[in-house]
Amino acid sequence: MARKLLMLMHEMNERLQQESAKELLQFDVVLITTDSQQQQQSSSIISSTKHHGLEISRFCFANEEDFVESLQTNNVQLFLTSDKSEASQATQKGVLSALLDHQEASPPSDQLRIMFCEDAIIQPDTGPTPANREAIQGFAAQLGEIRRRFSLADSPLCFILVTAHGSKDSCASSLLTLRSSGISVDEAYCLAGAPRDPIMPLLQPHFTIRISFSDLEE
Amino acid sequence: MSGQAKELKVAPSSNGDSRGSWEEKEEFHQDNLGLTTKPTPVTGRRARKVEGGVFFPKPENAVTIAVSTRVLFRTDREQKVFQQKGVEEYLRYQIEHENEPFAPGPAFPFVKALEAVNARLRELYPQSEELFDIVLVTYNHAHVGIRLINTINHHNLFIERFCMTGGSSPIGYLKAWHTNLYLSADSEKVREALAEGIAAATMFLPEKQTEVSESQLRVAFDGDAVLFSDESERIFKAHGLDKFFEHERDNEDTLLDHGPLKGFLEALGKLQKKFYAKGQRLNCPIRTYLVTARSAASSGIRALKTLRAWGLEIDEALFLAGAPKGPMLDKIRPHIYFDDQMFHVEGAAEMGTIAAHVPYGVAQKHNAKQNTSVGK
């Protein structure tokens, strides 16, 4: 699953290069692991990724307590993991995280689909600090910029907005907030309480970024 | 930037959303009519109450009606931009005109009538989820989303669910949401839906429009290849009228097979019974009509027997014995009339009846015109 993602990002980087030789925006991938067993096999991990042709620019071996610091020192803008607790730890310390979903239907391999979903319940105290808000906005702006390099049809990158519980007006609000942060969404679904499971196999996101839209407020 | 997004403090229960009064909503879209594309200013949590009624029914409990943007609203100017200048220019145009609501399209009166029925249902059954649920399902790119939402608010429509697929097929979503009826301007999509067992019909921009009732939903159906299968039509087309009559006589006691819109009639019937249960039979806001070329004395009998065996009541059955349908439909003034033959759909539209084409059965091979270029 993650492997497909990496290949997609690699492809996107190539296409970005094709569009403009002076392209500065690229997807830069850092592999991080806190599993000590894995760390002992560090050299085999590194050669394994090379073997599979995965473009990884940096490897980071950390432990569970301070992996978030590692993320921060490496200027990681988006942390992808299948571990829920790791994701929430990172979010709490201000690093935007997303869960890699384990889905039965495998998402398409020719288009990276990123889903934005509003967190239904927001606790006011766990939101990111103003400094991180800037970082998140910066990341959003860059993502949006990458998307703009490609045309509307046949893009290797696709943004999806899903409003699970709010009314259409909250969906409109989210669309505008994302847009002002630089992200023009391609597909939008306002569920108004309808169950999400039946349409997940149709949406096929590679991962979901759960945010409260006040994160993007200036 | 001011007033961009609000924090959603609570949310999950689908029944719990409270909505404020209509006056608040007026204020909301007043702000909207400004010339900038500023996000709609929101102070605090917007609330819109529907007198304690259920607002987001679960799809399996509701009668889900999916409409596309081109049938709910008039988008001919935008279509021209798309056709002449391509998708990027089309989206730019849409965003530029974001605060200009679209005008009503052919399905608009039908949707308004569905809402009128919902209002009555809520009065009688405030906790029930058996309501019409109108969903906007469009191939459009989400860039058009703001304009669509602004338009829905401008016309005071109760549409909360929508699906903008940015180009891919919406058929999967129709199935996932147990869609009972899908209306689109594109006959290809309609055919796809029919092939998946979803009742669907193509609507066209009418040249004329007559007034329809605002308090009673009227739905008219053709018989063969709409409510019933096209079995008899096949015989008629292959062997002529005499053979048709013979076949009908011989098979009088055999039920006709069901057609693509039988399920929708059934769904309407279920809602009608809810009104009858509360003594509202004479004042029922849903009325159904069968308008068929069959004749009452002979071939019509089989149709009636079939309906009865299915447990379906139809309020008025009009057997025209081949006479033109136009004048009859003009009397009925349905919010929508379903027919499988373009010839009848066009004839009805000429007289101002809102007609929808069901591209099903053997009559499609005999349709001279293709629908795709009509009425966009």
Side-chain angles (χ1 to χ4, degrees), chain A residues 113 118-124 137 147 150-153 165-177 179-181 184-195 198-199 202-203 212-214 216-218, chain B residues 1 4-14 17 19 28 37-40 46 48 56 59-60 87-88 91 95 98 140-143 145-146 149 152-153 157 159-166 168 172-173 176-177:
Chain A
R113 294 170 68 79
E118 182 150 28
D119 238 335
I121 301 172
I122 310 299
Q123 274 100 45
Q137 272 206 301
R147 174 68 185 85
F150 304 113
S151 68
L152 281 163
H165 297 288
S167 67
K168 63 180 176 302
D169 299 318
S170 68
C171 186
S173 204
S174 306
L175 281 172
L176 287 167
T177 304
R179 191 203 283 176
S180 59
S181 300
S184 280
V185 165
D186 298 284
E187 299 179 22
Y189 303 88
C190 186
L191 303 184
I199 63 168
L202 300 165
L203 293 174
S212 78
F213 285 91
S214 54
L216 294 172
E217 245 174 53
E218 270 175 288
Chain B
M1 293 199 201
Q4 275 190 24
K6 56 204 182 312
E7 272 184 64
L8 272 192
K9 296 234 164 59
V10 172
S13 89
S14 56
D17 256 282
R19 296 154 156 273
F28 166 77
T37 55
K38 230 166 51 158
T40 57
R46 290 201 66 244
R48 220 161 58 176
F56 298 150
E60 57 268 26
V87 66
E88 313 252 349
L91 289 178
I95 295 176
E98 215 159 62
N140 256 307
H141 199 272
H143 287 183
I146 303 293
I149 295 172
I152 291 173
N153 284 330
L157 292 173
I159 298 179
E160 294 298 330
R161 289 197 176 126
F162 54 78
C163 186
M164 293 180 214
T165 68
S168 31
Y173 301 97
W177 285 346

Side-chain angles (χ1 to χ4, degrees), chain B residues 144-197:
Chain B
V144 192
I146 303 293
R147 190 174 186 191
L148 286 175
I149 295 172
N150 284 346
T151 306
I152 291 173
N153 284 330
H154 173 79
H155 291 291
N156 278 341
L157 292 173
F158 267 9
I159 298 179
E160 294 298 330
R161 289 197 176 126
F162 54 78
C163 186
M164 293 180 214
T165 68
S168 31
S169 169
I171 302 294
Y173 301 97
L174 295 177
K175 286 172 78 166
W177 285 346
H178 307 270
T179 304
N180 297 87
L181 178 66
Y182 173 51
L183 299 174
S184 169
D186 187 325
S187 57
E188 273 317 301
K189 313 330 184 222
V190 169
R191 269 172 229 264
E192 253 189 85
L194 287 174
E196 294 288 334

